[in-house]
Amino acid sequence: MTATLLATKRVEKPWGRHTLWPGFANPPADGEKIGEVWFQTPHAGEPDLLVKYLFTSEKLSVQVHPDDAAAQAAGYPRGKDEAWIILAAEPDSTIALGTLEPMTSEALRAASLDGSIEHLLDWKPVKAGDFFYSEAGTVHAIGAGVTLVEIQQNVDLTYRLYDYGSDRELHLDAGVKVSDPVPFVPLPTPPQDGSDRTVLAEGPKFVIERLAGAEHVVDLPAGLTGWLVPLTGAGVVDGVAFKAGECLTLEGRSEIKAEAGTDLALAYPGNKRV
C-alpha cells in the first residue's frame, strides 16, 4: 500500500481568477490571475493521468484534442480524453460540447476563421455536481464563472480553433484534421452496484468514481496508479492525512477514513471499475 500526497503547480492564465476555491490561497488582488492548479507526481516516468483544478473568469478558447493515434503520429505519447466535475458555477455559466449540427471539415475551418464557430457550438448550462466526459475529437470550450476538477490523459496537447480575436496562435490545420464536429452524445451511464462508490465514467481511457461515506477500501491491481481527489472535507489514507484542495496517488490496497461530509473522487486508467 502506498499513498503519496502530490505537489501543486499554480498556472497563470489570462482567463484565471483572483478568488479560487476553499483549500487554495488566493493570489493578491493586484497580482497574476490563477487559472489552473496542477498536481504533480514525484514518480519516475510520465503518469497516465493528470488532475487539475480550473478557475475561469472568461471563456476559454474553442479547442480540440487528438486521439491516441493522431497524437502518437505527431510524436506525443497519447491523445487526450478529459472529464470535468463541476464544483461551482455562476447562474449563467456554460460549457460548449460538440456542434449544434454535423459540420464538414471545410465548414468547421471556415467558421473558425470568421468566428461564427462560437455560435455553432452547443453551449450547455452547468451547475455544481454536473459531470462531463469529453472524448478526444470533441470540439469544446469552457465558459466563464466555472470552478471544476479536470481529469485527463496526461499530455499537454491542445489545438485552438478560435480564440475570440486574441493574438494567441491557432492550430487550424491540425485541429480541423482531428475534430469530429458533430453534436455531443454523452457516454452511457455505467451500471452501479448500490454501494457508496458511484461510477461516473467507465472508460474508454479512464474510470472516475465518487466516494461518499466514512470508510473505503480501494484495491488497485499491481502496476495501476489511482488518483484520489478530496473535493470537500478531510481524512486519512494509509496514515497520510488529506484535505480538500489536495490530491494523492494510491497504489495497491488502500484504506480510506474520511470525516463526515467528505466528498472524494477517484480516478485510474482503464475501461473497467476495479
Side-chain angles (χ1 to χ4, degrees), residues 108-197:
L108 176 63
R109 183 183 180 88
S112 299
L113 284 169
D114 66 20
S116 61
I117 185 61
E118 180 181 359
H119 308 291
L120 299 175
L121 299 178
D122 185 4
W123 291 92
K124 302 174 183 296
V126 296
K127 63 184 184 304
D130 286 347
F131 173 79
F132 303 93
Y133 187 110
S134 176
E135 294 183 85
T138 302
V139 181
H140 64 277
I142 297 174
V146 181
T147 301
L148 61 83
V149 170
E150 178 174 292
I151 298 165
Q152 60 164 87
Q153 289 181 277
N154 185 22
V155 65
D156 189 11
L157 181 54
T158 296
Y159 297 140
R160 280 189 294 273
L161 298 173
Y162 175 69
D163 199 28
Y164 316 102
S166 81
D167 58 2
R168 291 203 300 171
E169 180 185 5
L170 299 180
H171 315 93
L172 288 182
D173 290 341
V176 168
K177 185 176 181 180
V178 304
S179 293
D180 187 17
V182 296
F184 175 75
V185 178
L187 294 176
T189 301
Q192 309 298 325
D193 62 6
S195 71
D196 52 8
R197 291 173 59 174

Side-chain angles (χ1 to χ4, degrees), residues 39-117:
F39 295 99
Q40 300 180 300
T41 68
H43 309 304
E46 188 179 65
D48 292 295
L49 301 183
L50 174 66
V51 175
K52 62 175 77 166
Y53 277 72
L54 271 69
F55 316 99
T56 72
S57 62
E58 302 173 8
K59 288 180 179 178
L60 276 65
S61 61
V62 177
Q63 55 190 237
V64 67
H65 309 295
D67 63 15
D68 288 351
Q72 289 163 2
Y76 292 83
R78 61 184 66 85
K80 186 175 174 182
D81 279 22
E82 57 190 354
W84 304 308
I85 300 172
I86 309 300
L87 299 181
E90 298 295 331
D92 58 350
S93 292
T94 56
I95 286 180
L97 279 168
T99 54
L100 293 171
E101 301 289 343
M103 299 177 67
T104 64
S105 295
E106 293 76 12
L108 176 63
R109 183 183 180 88
S112 299
L113 284 169
D114 66 20
S116 61
I117 185 61

Side-chain angles (χ1 to χ4, degrees), residues 169-246:
E169 180 185 5
L170 299 180
H171 315 93
L172 288 182
D173 290 341
V176 168
K177 185 176 181 180
V178 304
S179 293
D180 187 17
V182 296
F184 175 75
V185 178
L187 294 176
T189 301
Q192 309 298 325
D193 62 6
S195 71
D196 52 8
R197 291 173 59 174
T198 301
V199 182
L200 300 179
E202 197 166 27
K205 296 301 178 181
F206 47 84
V207 177
I208 302 178
E209 303 182 37
R210 289 286 283 271
L211 280 58
E215 296 188 6
H216 303 274
V217 174
V218 175
D219 199 355
L220 298 169
L224 187 69
T225 298
W227 278 256
L228 184 69
V229 189
L231 304 174
T232 61
V236 177
V237 54
D238 296 340
V240 179
F242 63 77
K243 62 183 184 297
E246 296 179 333

